[in-house]
Amino acid sequence: MTIYKERLTGSREAAARDRQFERDQQAARDAFQRESVLALQAAVADLIKAAYGEMDRLLVELQETGNWTARVWETPTAVGWSEAVLSLETARARVFDDGIRALATELRTLAGESVWAKDVEACKRASRQLEPLQIQFHEAVARVLPTLY
């Protein structure tokens, strides 16, 4: 009877240790994802800010000169653009949710199309899609975050 009791106690303790290890692993994963999703959200905001800043610069130039000066390779990089793209790609790689990753990629593409637009109409088409897509991105983040707490 004593041997049976010791085996039962030992197996219960091992099972409890395994459950605690699994809880710790899940907590670490959730913390990593929270941090990653929030970093991606900040990177998306920086990317949109850089795109809007560049669009504003181009619109001022259009008003002053009457010409849309499409970006070319020699055009100086939009303020904050390179850093925002790099941050977005780094954070996107750390996020496990495919839907959020896809929305971030779409935002990057649209922002790039607006910044590199060949004319004002192409810029308008791309920029009009930015805000609704950004709202969709934030709604996806809002759905995922509570599951990570």
Side-chain angles (χ1 to χ4, degrees):
M1 190 62 129
T2 304
I3 294 171
Y4 174 74
K5 182 180 174 185
E6 287 178 16
R7 283 186 184 169
L8 185 60
T9 302
S11 65
R12 285 182 184 162
E13 288 173 358
R17 279 192 308 272
D18 289 346
R19 286 190 304 273
Q20 183 61 42
F21 177 77
E22 289 171 11
R23 284 191 300 267
D24 292 346
Q25 287 296 99
Q26 186 63 42
R29 180 191 181 281
D30 290 348
F32 174 76
Q33 276 308 281
R34 280 192 309 269
E35 176 186 315
S36 299
V37 168
L38 293 173
L40 181 59
Q41 194 174 29
V44 162
D46 290 344
L47 182 82
I48 300 301
K49 179 181 174 185
Y52 283 162
E54 181 62 11
M55 285 186 273
D56 288 346
R57 184 191 71 76
L58 288 168
L59 288 172
V60 166
E61 189 172 321
L62 176 66
Q63 289 173 346
E64 290 175 355
T65 66
N67 294 320
W68 180 265
T69 309
R71 295 183 61 78
V72 292
W73 182 255
E74 294 80 13
T75 306
T77 304
V79 175
W81 178 258
S82 295
E83 182 180 343
V85 169
L86 292 172
S87 294
L88 184 138
E89 289 304 317
T90 300
R92 195 180 73 79
R94 295 176 48 174
V95 171
F96 299 153
D97 186 281
D98 290 333
I100 290 175
R101 290 168 46 87
L103 288 169
T105 300
E106 286 182 57
L107 281 164
R108 179 182 183 233
T109 300
L110 276 176
E113 288 174 8
S114 66
V115 167
W116 289 91
K118 296 297 179 196
D119 56 44
V120 70
E121 290 307 314
C123 182
K124 284 180 186 180
R125 274 192 305 277
S127 67
R128 284 184 183 132
Q129 297 174 54
L130 278 175
E131 188 174 337
L133 190 58
Q134 185 179 15
I135 290 169
Q136 189 179 354
F137 171 81
H138 290 301
E139 287 171 352
V141 167
R143 279 191 304 275
V144 168
L145 279 179
T147 66
L148 301 173
Y149 285 93

Tab-separated table of all heavy atoms in Angstrom, residues 8-69:
chain	number	residue	atom	x	y	z
A	8	LEU	N	1.539	7.000	-6.691
A	8	LEU	CA	0.429	7.892	-6.982
A	8	LEU	C	0.806	9.337	-6.688
A	8	LEU	O	0.555	10.241	-7.500
A	8	LEU	CB	-0.805	7.483	-6.170
A	8	LEU	CG	-2.082	8.264	-6.462
A	8	LEU	CD1	-2.470	8.104	-7.921
A	8	LEU	CD2	-3.202	7.799	-5.550
A	9	THR	N	1.451	9.566	-5.549
A	9	THR	CA	1.896	10.915	-5.183
A	9	THR	C	2.929	11.415	-6.186
A	9	THR	O	2.865	12.572	-6.626
A	9	THR	CB	2.485	10.928	-3.753
A	9	THR	OG1	1.497	10.457	-2.850
A	9	THR	CG2	2.924	12.318	-3.360
A	10	GLY	N	3.859	10.560	-6.565
A	10	GLY	CA	4.895	10.938	-7.532
A	10	GLY	C	4.306	11.277	-8.894
A	10	GLY	O	4.714	12.253	-9.528
A	11	SER	N	3.332	10.484	-9.350
A	11	SER	CA	2.722	10.763	-10.654
A	11	SER	C	1.884	12.038	-10.602
A	11	SER	O	1.851	12.807	-11.565
A	11	SER	CB	1.888	9.581	-11.122
A	11	SER	OG	0.778	9.375	-10.271
A	12	ARG	N	1.238	12.312	-9.482
A	12	ARG	CA	0.476	13.555	-9.339
A	12	ARG	C	1.406	14.765	-9.351
A	12	ARG	O	1.102	15.785	-9.969
A	12	ARG	CB	-0.335	13.546	-8.042
A	12	ARG	CG	-1.538	12.663	-8.099
A	12	ARG	CD	-2.314	12.743	-6.824
A	12	ARG	NE	-3.429	11.813	-6.831
A	12	ARG	CZ	-4.060	11.417	-5.753
A	12	ARG	NH1	-3.695	11.878	-4.565
A	12	ARG	NH2	-5.063	10.572	-5.836
A	13	GLU	N	2.528	14.642	-8.654
A	13	GLU	CA	3.493	15.748	-8.624
A	13	GLU	C	4.066	15.984	-10.016
A	13	GLU	O	4.233	17.134	-10.449
A	13	GLU	CB	4.602	15.460	-7.615
A	13	GLU	CG	4.157	15.555	-6.178
A	13	GLU	CD	5.228	15.110	-5.188
A	13	GLU	OE1	6.318	14.691	-5.627
A	13	GLU	OE2	4.963	15.188	-3.984
A	14	ALA	N	4.370	14.910	-10.732
A	14	ALA	CA	4.897	15.053	-12.098
A	14	ALA	C	3.857	15.698	-13.006
A	14	ALA	O	4.186	16.584	-13.812
A	14	ALA	CB	5.317	13.693	-12.640
A	15	ALA	N	2.619	15.289	-12.889
A	15	ALA	CA	1.546	15.874	-13.695
A	15	ALA	C	1.370	17.354	-13.360
A	15	ALA	O	1.181	18.181	-14.252
A	15	ALA	CB	0.246	15.114	-13.475
A	16	ALA	N	1.459	17.691	-12.081
A	16	ALA	CA	1.338	19.099	-11.661
A	16	ALA	C	2.496	19.921	-12.219
A	16	ALA	O	2.303	21.049	-12.678
A	16	ALA	CB	1.288	19.201	-10.144
A	17	ARG	N	3.705	19.353	-12.185
A	17	ARG	CA	4.871	20.057	-12.750
A	17	ARG	C	4.693	20.257	-14.258
A	17	ARG	O	5.001	21.325	-14.790
A	17	ARG	CB	6.156	19.283	-12.476
A	17	ARG	CG	6.725	19.480	-11.096
A	17	ARG	CD	8.150	18.937	-10.979
A	17	ARG	NE	8.289	17.549	-11.424
A	17	ARG	CZ	8.100	16.471	-10.647
A	17	ARG	NH1	7.755	16.634	-9.384
A	17	ARG	NH2	8.257	15.260	-11.135
A	18	ASP	N	4.186	19.248	-14.951
A	18	ASP	CA	3.959	19.355	-16.392
A	18	ASP	C	2.919	20.433	-16.712
A	18	ASP	O	3.112	21.232	-17.632
A	18	ASP	CB	3.494	18.012	-16.968
A	18	ASP	CG	4.593	16.969	-17.000
A	18	ASP	OD1	5.782	17.335	-16.828
A	18	ASP	OD2	4.263	15.775	-17.203
A	19	ARG	N	1.836	20.455	-15.945
A	19	ARG	CA	0.815	21.483	-16.158
A	19	ARG	C	1.372	22.877	-15.899
A	19	ARG	O	1.102	23.816	-16.651
A	19	ARG	CB	-0.409	21.220	-15.273
A	19	ARG	CG	-1.264	20.061	-15.760
A	19	ARG	CD	-2.597	19.989	-15.010
A	19	ARG	NE	-2.454	19.897	-13.570
A	19	ARG	CZ	-2.295	18.774	-12.880
A	19	ARG	NH1	-2.251	17.623	-13.516
A	19	ARG	NH2	-2.189	18.786	-11.568
A	20	GLN	N	2.171	23.029	-14.860
A	20	GLN	CA	2.773	24.326	-14.552
A	20	GLN	C	3.727	24.741	-15.658
A	20	GLN	O	3.744	25.907	-16.065
A	20	GLN	CB	3.508	24.290	-13.209
A	20	GLN	CG	4.097	25.629	-12.802
A	20	GLN	CD	3.049	26.711	-12.638
A	20	GLN	OE1	1.982	26.498	-12.081
A	20	GLN	NE2	3.333	27.900	-13.170
A	21	PHE	N	4.508	23.804	-16.173
A	21	PHE	CA	5.427	24.102	-17.283
A	21	PHE	C	4.642	24.570	-18.504
A	21	PHE	O	5.010	25.558	-19.149
A	21	PHE	CB	6.257	22.864	-17.623
A	21	PHE	CG	7.162	23.062	-18.798
A	21	PHE	CD1	8.346	23.788	-18.674
A	21	PHE	CD2	6.836	22.539	-20.051
A	21	PHE	CE1	9.173	23.989	-19.758
A	21	PHE	CE2	7.659	22.745	-21.141
A	21	PHE	CZ	8.832	23.463	-20.994
A	22	GLU	N	3.550	23.884	-18.818
A	22	GLU	CA	2.711	24.278	-19.960
A	22	GLU	C	2.114	25.658	-19.755
A	22	GLU	O	2.064	26.462	-20.693
A	22	GLU	CB	1.609	23.244	-20.181
A	22	GLU	CG	2.117	21.926	-20.727
A	22	GLU	CD	1.055	20.842	-20.748
A	22	GLU	OE1	-0.143	21.153	-20.525
A	22	GLU	OE2	1.420	19.674	-20.985
A	23	ARG	N	1.661	25.954	-18.547
A	23	ARG	CA	1.119	27.293	-18.257
A	23	ARG	C	2.200	28.363	-18.414
A	23	ARG	O	1.948	29.430	-18.969
A	23	ARG	CB	0.519	27.345	-16.850
A	23	ARG	CG	-0.833	26.673	-16.738
A	23	ARG	CD	-1.503	26.988	-15.398
A	23	ARG	NE	-0.738	26.541	-14.246
A	23	ARG	CZ	-0.886	25.367	-13.635
A	23	ARG	NH1	-1.784	24.503	-14.088
A	23	ARG	NH2	-0.162	25.067	-12.593
A	24	ASP	N	3.403	28.070	-17.918
A	24	ASP	CA	4.508	29.018	-18.048
A	24	ASP	C	4.867	29.253	-19.510
A	24	ASP	O	5.124	30.392	-19.916
A	24	ASP	CB	5.737	28.526	-17.273
A	24	ASP	CG	5.540	28.540	-15.767
A	24	ASP	OD1	4.564	29.173	-15.289
A	24	ASP	OD2	6.358	27.899	-15.063
A	25	GLN	N	4.890	28.178	-20.295
A	25	GLN	CA	5.203	28.295	-21.721
A	25	GLN	C	4.145	29.135	-22.432
A	25	GLN	O	4.471	29.990	-23.252
A	25	GLN	CB	5.294	26.911	-22.373
A	25	GLN	CG	6.528	26.136	-21.996
A	25	GLN	CD	7.782	26.814	-22.488
A	25	GLN	OE1	8.464	27.512	-21.750
A	25	GLN	NE2	8.100	26.639	-23.741
A	26	GLN	N	2.875	28.882	-22.123
A	26	GLN	CA	1.800	29.641	-22.753
A	26	GLN	C	1.857	31.110	-22.338
A	26	GLN	O	1.646	32.003	-23.163
A	26	GLN	CB	0.431	29.051	-22.385
A	26	GLN	CG	-0.726	29.697	-23.126
A	26	GLN	CD	-0.662	29.501	-24.624
A	26	GLN	OE1	-0.352	28.420	-25.103
A	26	GLN	NE2	-0.940	30.544	-25.374
A	27	ALA	N	2.169	31.377	-21.088
A	27	ALA	CA	2.282	32.769	-20.622
A	27	ALA	C	3.428	33.483	-21.331
A	27	ALA	O	3.281	34.649	-21.722
A	27	ALA	CB	2.483	32.804	-19.108
A	28	ALA	N	4.540	32.799	-21.528
A	28	ALA	CA	5.678	33.401	-22.231
A	28	ALA	C	5.318	33.665	-23.694
A	28	ALA	O	5.652	34.724	-24.246
A	28	ALA	CB	6.899	32.493	-22.134
A	29	ARG	N	4.635	32.716	-24.318
A	29	ARG	CA	4.218	32.889	-25.713
A	29	ARG	C	3.257	34.068	-25.837
A	29	ARG	O	3.391	34.900	-26.736
A	29	ARG	CB	3.546	31.617	-26.220
A	29	ARG	CG	3.073	31.700	-27.655
A	29	ARG	CD	2.165	30.509	-28.006
A	29	ARG	NE	1.719	30.540	-29.364
A	29	ARG	CZ	0.739	31.301	-29.832
A	29	ARG	NH1	0.101	32.131	-29.038
A	29	ARG	NH2	0.384	31.246	-31.099
A	30	ASP	N	2.282	34.136	-24.940
A	30	ASP	CA	1.312	35.228	-24.975
A	30	ASP	C	1.985	36.580	-24.769
A	30	ASP	O	1.655	37.559	-25.453
A	30	ASP	CB	0.221	35.016	-23.932
A	30	ASP	CG	-0.711	33.860	-24.279
A	30	ASP	OD1	-0.663	33.358	-25.425
A	30	ASP	OD2	-1.483	33.457	-23.381
A	31	ALA	N	2.930	36.650	-23.850
A	31	ALA	CA	3.650	37.912	-23.610
A	31	ALA	C	4.440	38.318	-24.856
A	31	ALA	O	4.448	39.490	-25.240
A	31	ALA	CB	4.579	37.772	-22.409
A	32	PHE	N	5.096	37.349	-25.473
A	32	PHE	CA	5.846	37.621	-26.702
A	32	PHE	C	4.909	38.137	-27.796
A	32	PHE	O	5.220	39.107	-28.495
A	32	PHE	CB	6.557	36.341	-27.165
A	32	PHE	CG	7.242	36.461	-28.489
A	32	PHE	CD1	8.442	37.139	-28.606
A	32	PHE	CD2	6.691	35.882	-29.620
A	32	PHE	CE1	9.085	37.252	-29.829
A	32	PHE	CE2	7.325	35.988	-30.846
A	32	PHE	CZ	8.515	36.677	-30.959
A	33	GLN	N	3.751	37.513	-27.942
A	33	GLN	CA	2.808	37.946	-28.966
A	33	GLN	C	2.223	39.315	-28.669
A	33	GLN	O	2.052	40.128	-29.578
A	33	GLN	CB	1.693	36.913	-29.142
A	33	GLN	CG	2.082	35.797	-30.062
A	33	GLN	CD	2.610	36.297	-31.386
A	33	GLN	OE1	1.839	36.690	-32.266
A	33	GLN	NE2	3.922	36.336	-31.545
A	34	ARG	N	1.901	39.583	-27.403
A	34	ARG	CA	1.401	40.924	-27.051
A	34	ARG	C	2.413	41.973	-27.460
A	34	ARG	O	2.083	42.971	-28.099
A	34	ARG	CB	1.135	41.028	-25.547
A	34	ARG	CG	-0.149	40.446	-25.083
A	34	ARG	CD	-0.462	40.846	-23.645
A	34	ARG	NE	0.603	40.624	-22.698
A	34	ARG	CZ	0.778	39.516	-21.993
A	34	ARG	NH1	-0.035	38.497	-22.148
A	34	ARG	NH2	1.763	39.413	-21.127
A	35	GLU	N	3.659	41.759	-27.064
A	35	GLU	CA	4.731	42.706	-27.391
A	35	GLU	C	4.879	42.854	-28.905
A	35	GLU	O	5.018	43.962	-29.420
A	35	GLU	CB	6.038	42.207	-26.771
A	35	GLU	CG	7.242	43.039	-27.102
A	35	GLU	CD	8.519	42.400	-26.588
A	35	GLU	OE1	8.546	41.942	-25.434
A	35	GLU	OE2	9.494	42.365	-27.361
A	36	SER	N	4.831	41.758	-29.621
A	36	SER	CA	5.008	41.778	-31.071
A	36	SER	C	3.853	42.468	-31.784
A	36	SER	O	4.065	43.263	-32.704
A	36	SER	CB	5.170	40.353	-31.603
A	36	SER	OG	6.308	39.750	-31.044
A	37	VAL	N	2.632	42.175	-31.368
A	37	VAL	CA	1.464	42.799	-31.989
A	37	VAL	C	1.469	44.300	-31.730
A	37	VAL	O	1.203	45.104	-32.637
A	37	VAL	CB	0.164	42.134	-31.491
A	37	VAL	CG1	-1.063	42.946	-31.884
A	37	VAL	CG2	0.060	40.708	-32.030
A	38	LEU	N	1.794	44.705	-30.516
A	38	LEU	CA	1.838	46.137	-30.200
A	38	LEU	C	2.968	46.834	-30.960
A	38	LEU	O	2.810	47.976	-31.408
A	38	LEU	CB	1.973	46.345	-28.693
A	38	LEU	CG	0.756	45.907	-27.877
A	38	LEU	CD1	1.044	45.996	-26.387
A	38	LEU	CD2	-0.481	46.713	-28.248
A	39	ALA	N	4.090	46.156	-31.129
A	39	ALA	CA	5.192	46.730	-31.921
A	39	ALA	C	4.774	46.883	-33.378
A	39	ALA	O	5.101	47.890	-34.024
A	39	ALA	CB	6.433	45.847	-31.810
A	40	LEU	N	4.049	45.899	-33.909
A	40	LEU	CA	3.569	45.994	-35.288
A	40	LEU	C	2.564	47.125	-35.428
A	40	LEU	O	2.597	47.873	-36.403
A	40	LEU	CB	2.950	44.664	-35.730
A	40	LEU	CG	2.438	44.613	-37.165
A	40	LEU	CD1	3.558	44.906	-38.154
A	40	LEU	CD2	1.818	43.257	-37.452
A	41	GLN	N	1.716	47.282	-34.447
A	41	GLN	CA	0.745	48.369	-34.477
A	41	GLN	C	1.457	49.726	-34.490
A	41	GLN	O	1.083	50.628	-35.248
A	41	GLN	CB	-0.185	48.245	-33.276
A	41	GLN	CG	-1.418	49.096	-33.356
A	41	GLN	CD	-2.367	48.831	-32.204
A	41	GLN	OE1	-1.944	48.460	-31.111
A	41	GLN	NE2	-3.653	49.021	-32.437
A	42	ALA	N	2.488	49.875	-33.692
A	42	ALA	CA	3.256	51.125	-33.675
A	42	ALA	C	3.977	51.335	-35.011
A	42	ALA	O	4.037	52.460	-35.522
A	42	ALA	CB	4.261	51.110	-32.528
A	43	ALA	N	4.511	50.256	-35.587
A	43	ALA	CA	5.210	50.367	-36.869
A	43	ALA	C	4.249	50.762	-37.987
A	43	ALA	O	4.603	51.567	-38.859
A	43	ALA	CB	5.902	49.049	-37.201
A	44	VAL	N	3.039	50.226	-37.960
A	44	VAL	CA	2.029	50.599	-38.955
A	44	VAL	C	1.704	52.088	-38.822
A	44	VAL	O	1.618	52.810	-39.816
A	44	VAL	CB	0.762	49.725	-38.818
A	44	VAL	CG1	-0.439	50.362	-39.522
A	44	VAL	CG2	1.023	48.338	-39.372
A	45	ALA	N	1.553	52.563	-37.595
A	45	ALA	CA	1.264	53.983	-37.372
A	45	ALA	C	2.400	54.855	-37.912
A	45	ALA	O	2.144	55.876	-38.557
A	45	ALA	CB	1.041	54.252	-35.889
A	46	ASP	N	3.646	54.450	-37.671
A	46	ASP	CA	4.794	55.207	-38.181
A	46	ASP	C	4.832	55.196	-39.709
A	46	ASP	O	5.165	56.204	-40.340
A	46	ASP	CB	6.101	54.642	-37.630
A	46	ASP	CG	6.283	54.916	-36.148
A	46	ASP	OD1	5.576	55.792	-35.597
A	46	ASP	OD2	7.148	54.245	-35.531
A	47	LEU	N	4.493	54.064	-40.307
A	47	LEU	CA	4.488	53.953	-41.764
A	47	LEU	C	3.434	54.880	-42.368
A	47	LEU	O	3.715	55.607	-43.326
A	47	LEU	CB	4.221	52.505	-42.172
A	47	LEU	CG	4.239	52.252	-43.672
A	47	LEU	CD1	5.679	52.078	-44.138
A	47	LEU	CD2	3.414	51.045	-44.021
A	48	ILE	N	2.245	54.866	-41.790
A	48	ILE	CA	1.172	55.727	-42.292
A	48	ILE	C	1.542	57.193	-42.102
A	48	ILE	O	1.314	58.026	-42.985
A	48	ILE	CB	-0.166	55.396	-41.584
A	48	ILE	CG1	-0.580	53.947	-41.832
A	48	ILE	CG2	-1.267	56.353	-42.009
A	48	ILE	CD1	-0.773	53.561	-43.270
A	49	LYS	N	2.135	57.503	-40.980
A	49	LYS	CA	2.568	58.883	-40.723
A	49	LYS	C	3.590	59.327	-41.773
A	49	LYS	O	3.494	60.433	-42.314
A	49	LYS	CB	3.184	58.977	-39.317
A	49	LYS	CG	3.685	60.350	-38.954
A	49	LYS	CD	4.299	60.332	-37.567
A	49	LYS	CE	4.943	61.664	-37.258
A	49	LYS	NZ	5.640	61.651	-35.977
A	50	ALA	N	4.550	58.477	-42.079
A	50	ALA	CA	5.555	58.814	-43.090
A	50	ALA	C	4.916	58.975	-44.468
A	50	ALA	O	5.261	59.892	-45.220
A	50	ALA	CB	6.646	57.745	-43.129
A	51	ALA	N	3.966	58.094	-44.802
A	51	ALA	CA	3.295	58.185	-46.100
A	51	ALA	C	2.488	59.479	-46.196
A	51	ALA	O	2.549	60.181	-47.209
A	51	ALA	CB	2.398	56.971	-46.313
A	52	TYR	N	1.725	59.798	-45.153
A	52	TYR	CA	0.941	61.033	-45.169
A	52	TYR	C	1.854	62.259	-45.233
A	52	TYR	O	1.544	63.239	-45.913
A	52	TYR	CB	0.040	61.122	-43.945
A	52	TYR	CG	-1.210	60.256	-44.027
A	52	TYR	CD1	-1.916	59.951	-42.884
A	52	TYR	CD2	-1.686	59.753	-45.229
A	52	TYR	CE1	-3.065	59.163	-42.926
A	52	TYR	CE2	-2.818	58.975	-45.292
A	52	TYR	CZ	-3.512	58.684	-44.135
A	52	TYR	OH	-4.647	57.917	-44.189
A	53	GLY	N	2.960	62.210	-44.533
A	53	GLY	CA	3.905	63.320	-44.595
A	53	GLY	C	4.430	63.533	-46.005
A	53	GLY	O	4.541	64.672	-46.484
A	54	GLU	N	4.744	62.438	-46.681
A	54	GLU	CA	5.233	62.548	-48.056
A	54	GLU	C	4.128	63.018	-48.994
A	54	GLU	O	4.367	63.837	-49.877
A	54	GLU	CB	5.805	61.208	-48.526
A	54	GLU	CG	6.365	61.229	-49.921
A	54	GLU	CD	7.537	62.184	-50.124
A	54	GLU	OE1	8.087	62.722	-49.147
A	54	GLU	OE2	7.920	62.395	-51.298
A	55	MET	N	2.920	62.525	-48.798
A	55	MET	CA	1.811	62.991	-49.633
A	55	MET	C	1.572	64.482	-49.421
A	55	MET	O	1.341	65.217	-50.393
A	55	MET	CB	0.538	62.200	-49.328
A	55	MET	CG	0.542	60.804	-49.909
A	55	MET	SD	-1.039	59.965	-49.681
A	55	MET	CE	-0.808	59.259	-48.051
A	56	ASP	N	1.646	64.921	-48.186
A	56	ASP	CA	1.490	66.355	-47.914
A	56	ASP	C	2.566	67.163	-48.618
A	56	ASP	O	2.285	68.210	-49.209
A	56	ASP	CB	1.538	66.630	-46.403
A	56	ASP	CG	0.291	66.153	-45.679
A	56	ASP	OD1	-0.718	65.846	-46.342
A	56	ASP	OD2	0.343	66.073	-44.428
A	57	ARG	N	3.804	66.670	-48.588
A	57	ARG	CA	4.902	67.374	-49.266
A	57	ARG	C	4.643	67.463	-50.765
A	57	ARG	O	4.804	68.524	-51.376
A	57	ARG	CB	6.228	66.653	-49.013
A	57	ARG	CG	7.443	67.386	-49.600
A	57	ARG	CD	8.686	66.534	-49.583
A	57	ARG	NE	8.641	65.446	-50.536
A	57	ARG	CZ	8.815	65.567	-51.863
A	57	ARG	NH1	9.019	66.756	-52.391
A	57	ARG	NH2	8.782	64.518	-52.647
A	58	LEU	N	4.182	66.369	-51.344
A	58	LEU	CA	3.906	66.363	-52.780
A	58	LEU	C	2.733	67.276	-53.132
A	58	LEU	O	2.752	67.945	-54.171
A	58	LEU	CB	3.635	64.935	-53.258
A	58	LEU	CG	4.854	64.019	-53.306
A	58	LEU	CD1	4.427	62.574	-53.514
A	58	LEU	CD2	5.815	64.458	-54.390
A	59	LEU	N	1.717	67.315	-52.280
A	59	LEU	CA	0.573	68.195	-52.543
A	59	LEU	C	0.960	69.668	-52.454
A	59	LEU	O	0.493	70.490	-53.247
A	59	LEU	CB	-0.569	67.882	-51.580
A	59	LEU	CG	-1.293	66.574	-51.849
A	59	LEU	CD1	-2.279	66.263	-50.727
A	59	LEU	CD2	-2.002	66.606	-53.198
A	60	VAL	N	1.818	70.010	-51.502
A	60	VAL	CA	2.302	71.395	-51.404
A	60	VAL	C	3.069	71.750	-52.674
A	60	VAL	O	2.880	72.826	-53.253
A	60	VAL	CB	3.187	71.586	-50.146
A	60	VAL	CG1	3.952	72.892	-50.209
A	60	VAL	CG2	2.331	71.522	-48.889
A	61	GLU	N	3.915	70.824	-53.111
A	61	GLU	CA	4.673	71.062	-54.340
A	61	GLU	C	3.734	71.201	-55.540
A	61	GLU	O	3.945	72.040	-56.414
A	61	GLU	CB	5.658	69.917	-54.556
A	61	GLU	CG	6.635	70.181	-55.681
A	61	GLU	CD	7.727	69.132	-55.751
A	61	GLU	OE1	8.211	68.680	-54.700
A	61	GLU	OE2	8.099	68.784	-56.889
A	62	LEU	N	2.677	70.387	-55.589
A	62	LEU	CA	1.696	70.474	-56.670
A	62	LEU	C	1.009	71.836	-56.657
A	62	LEU	O	0.833	72.464	-57.709
A	62	LEU	CB	0.656	69.355	-56.537
A	62	LEU	CG	-0.494	69.367	-57.543
A	62	LEU	CD1	0.017	69.111	-58.956
A	62	LEU	CD2	-1.540	68.333	-57.152
A	63	GLN	N	0.647	72.317	-55.475
A	63	GLN	CA	-0.006	73.620	-55.377
A	63	GLN	C	0.927	74.746	-55.783
A	63	GLN	O	0.507	75.715	-56.414
A	63	GLN	CB	-0.520	73.855	-53.957
A	63	GLN	CG	-1.701	72.991	-53.595
A	63	GLN	CD	-2.084	73.117	-52.124
A	63	GLN	OE1	-1.339	73.646	-51.313
A	63	GLN	NE2	-3.270	72.609	-51.786
A	64	GLU	N	2.195	74.631	-55.425
A	64	GLU	CA	3.157	75.689	-55.724
A	64	GLU	C	3.569	75.704	-57.189
A	64	GLU	O	3.752	76.763	-57.772
A	64	GLU	CB	4.395	75.541	-54.841
A	64	GLU	CG	4.135	75.869	-53.381
A	64	GLU	CD	5.342	75.594	-52.497
A	64	GLU	OE1	6.360	75.062	-52.997
A	64	GLU	OE2	5.260	75.900	-51.292
A	65	THR	N	3.747	74.540	-57.782
A	65	THR	CA	4.271	74.469	-59.147
A	65	THR	C	3.236	74.072	-60.189
A	65	THR	O	3.446	74.293	-61.376
A	65	THR	CB	5.421	73.443	-59.233
A	65	THR	OG1	4.901	72.124	-59.000
A	65	THR	CG2	6.530	73.771	-58.254
A	66	GLY	N	2.133	73.455	-59.743
A	66	GLY	CA	1.136	72.974	-60.697
A	66	GLY	C	1.509	71.635	-61.310
A	66	GLY	O	0.785	71.131	-62.156
A	67	ASN	N	2.629	71.073	-60.898
A	67	ASN	CA	3.087	69.784	-61.436
A	67	ASN	C	3.204	68.758	-60.318
A	67	ASN	O	3.665	69.076	-59.223
A	67	ASN	CB	4.463	69.921	-62.100
A	67	ASN	CG	4.418	70.782	-63.330
A	67	ASN	OD1	3.489	70.704	-64.121
A	67	ASN	ND2	5.415	71.629	-63.486
A	68	TRP	N	2.800	67.534	-60.634
A	68	TRP	CA	3.007	66.419	-59.707
A	68	TRP	C	4.396	65.874	-59.999
A	68	TRP	O	4.660	65.360	-61.076
A	68	TRP	CB	1.959	65.334	-59.918
A	68	TRP	CG	2.121	64.177	-58.988
A	68	TRP	CD1	2.788	63.024	-59.240
A	68	TRP	CD2	1.619	64.071	-57.658
A	68	TRP	NE1	2.730	62.193	-58.153
A	68	TRP	CE2	2.011	62.814	-57.161
A	68	TRP	CE3	0.880	64.909	-56.830
A	68	TRP	CZ2	1.678	62.382	-55.886
A	68	TRP	CZ3	0.548	64.468	-55.569
A	68	TRP	CH2	0.949	63.219	-55.105
A	69	THR	N	5.281	66.006	-59.055
A	69	THR	CA	6.643	65.527	-59.236
A	69	THR	C	6.727	64.109	-58.675
A	69	THR	O	6.932	63.911	-57.483
A	69	THR	CB	7.648	66.445	-58.500
A	69	THR	OG1	7.398	67.793	-58.892
A	69	THR	CG2	9.077	66.068	-58.844
